Amino acid sequence: MLLNVLERKFVFFGIIFWPQDFYLFALALLIFIIFIVLFTVIFGRVFCGWACPQTIFLEMVFRKIENWIEEITINRKN
């Protein structure tokens, strides 16, 4: 990465950027951020609702233990 401010020449990963290129860079960065937000809003709900390990672990393990404990307490009361 080379930031030559006096000559207004910026090199990132071997690609030369001039000051007039930063408008395109800012636009691309803005589009990328919007894409990340929209992707998270859409597919994050799917992941957290159906495929999240915490949700699966809760339903497959803790829910069975909870029901088992409730059955024991109900049977003791009767």
Side-chain angles (χ1 to χ4, degrees), residues 6-43:
L6 295 177
E7 294 180 15
R8 292 186 285 170
K9 179 181 175 183
F10 308 99
V11 180
F12 295 105
F13 304 109
I15 302 171
I16 299 173
F17 290 99
W18 299 98
Q20 63 268 20
D21 295 334
F22 280 100
Y23 293 112
L24 295 174
F25 179 72
L27 180 64
L29 189 64
L30 185 64
I31 290 172
F32 182 69
I33 290 171
I34 290 172
F35 170 76
I36 288 175
V37 168
L38 290 177
F39 186 84
T40 304
V41 166
I42 294 169
F43 292 109

Side-chain angles (χ1 to χ4, degrees), residues 43-69:
F43 292 109
R45 294 286 182 186
V46 172
F47 176 75
C48 287
W50 299 100
C52 181
Q54 181 179 356
T55 305
I56 293 172
F57 194 67
L58 172 74
E59 291 298 323
M60 299 298 175
V61 177
F62 289 123
R63 189 78 65 205
K64 290 179 182 180
I65 294 171
E66 181 181 338
N67 290 337
W68 178 68
I69 292 172

